[in-house]
Amino acid sequence: VSRDSPLPSMAYLKISGGIFHDCAVHDIDLITWILGEYPAEVYVAANAQIPEIGAINDHDNVAITLKFNSGTIAMIDICRFANYGYDQRLEVFGHSGMLDVKNDTPNRTEYSTAGDTSEAPIYYSFPSRHHDGYRRELDHFLDVVQKGESMSVTDRMTSAVSKVADACEESAKSGMPVKLIWASEEIPEDYVQV
């Protein structure tokens, strides 16, 4: 689940590359990194509940299904605006159990009374939610530049995720599943060759 907050400005949305290249790429990247493989097929259902987003031929709600040759099925739920905060969750389910990654909050305080329980709200926006990740990204970049370490993200990873985002766009437009064919030179090292 990946639901943005706050709603980006229309000026930004017009140049963002669309919801698949601006938002979905992060979820696609995470799923393919966890699985170590890229999908063989994608199917997307999408709409624009916000008329201004529909007017620029983009979507604000998408449901993506990814099918992998390993038999894994992944689902991505994306929305451009969640009024309650930056909603980022992950669930991995299989025959051995389930992994549930809940929303992060500024603190884990929970307040309980005889009739109610409340906890700290989730982060409001991606800069507040991912501030530590941005710091680690910068640290890694400096290690690459100053110490000659290898990049953790390769050009193949970036290109492959972009190819999947293109297929998602195509599926949203056609309303049909889109098959992906992968050449071995498109697949990053340590990923399953399809």
Side-chain angles (χ1 to χ4, degrees), residues 39-115:
E41 182 179 287
V42 300
Y43 172 72
V44 175
N47 66 18
Q49 293 293 314
I50 299 171
E52 295 82 1
I53 292 177
I56 60 169
N57 296 316
D58 201 359
H59 310 283
D60 55 20
N61 292 285
V62 299
I64 302 169
T65 301
L66 304 125
K67 288 183 171 181
F68 296 83
N69 285 332
S70 64
T72 299
I73 297 173
M75 295 172 281
I76 302 172
D77 168 359
I78 298 177
C79 182
R80 277 283 190 194
F81 178 59
N83 65 355
Y84 54 89
Y86 194 67
D87 188 0
Q88 302 277 286
R89 292 173 277 139
L90 170 71
E91 181 180 292
V92 180
F93 172 77
H95 66 276
S96 296
M98 181 181 77
L99 172 71
D100 186 13
V101 181
K102 299 183 183 313
N103 276 308
D104 199 10
T105 60
N107 66 65
R108 301 305 305 164
T109 303
E110 187 174 292
Y111 176 72
S112 299
T113 65

Side-chain angles (χ1 to χ4, degrees), residues 2 20-31 86 88 161:
S2 185
F20 299 107
H21 286 277
D22 184 36
C23 297
V25 290
H26 303 292
D27 300 274
I28 295 164
D29 185 44
L30 178 63
I31 290 167
Y86 194 67
Q88 302 277 286
V161 167

Side-chain angles (χ1 to χ4, degrees), residues 166-177:
D166 286 343
C168 289
E169 254 178 359
E170 183 183 334
S171 178
K173 288 178 186 169
S174 71
M176 301 296 294

Side-chain angles (χ1 to χ4, degrees), residues 111-130:
Y111 176 72
S112 299
T113 65
D116 196 20
T117 300
S118 63
E119 58 186 297
I122 62 177
Y123 285 102
Y124 179 68
S125 64
F126 72 87
S128 62
R129 167 65 177 87
H130 296 293

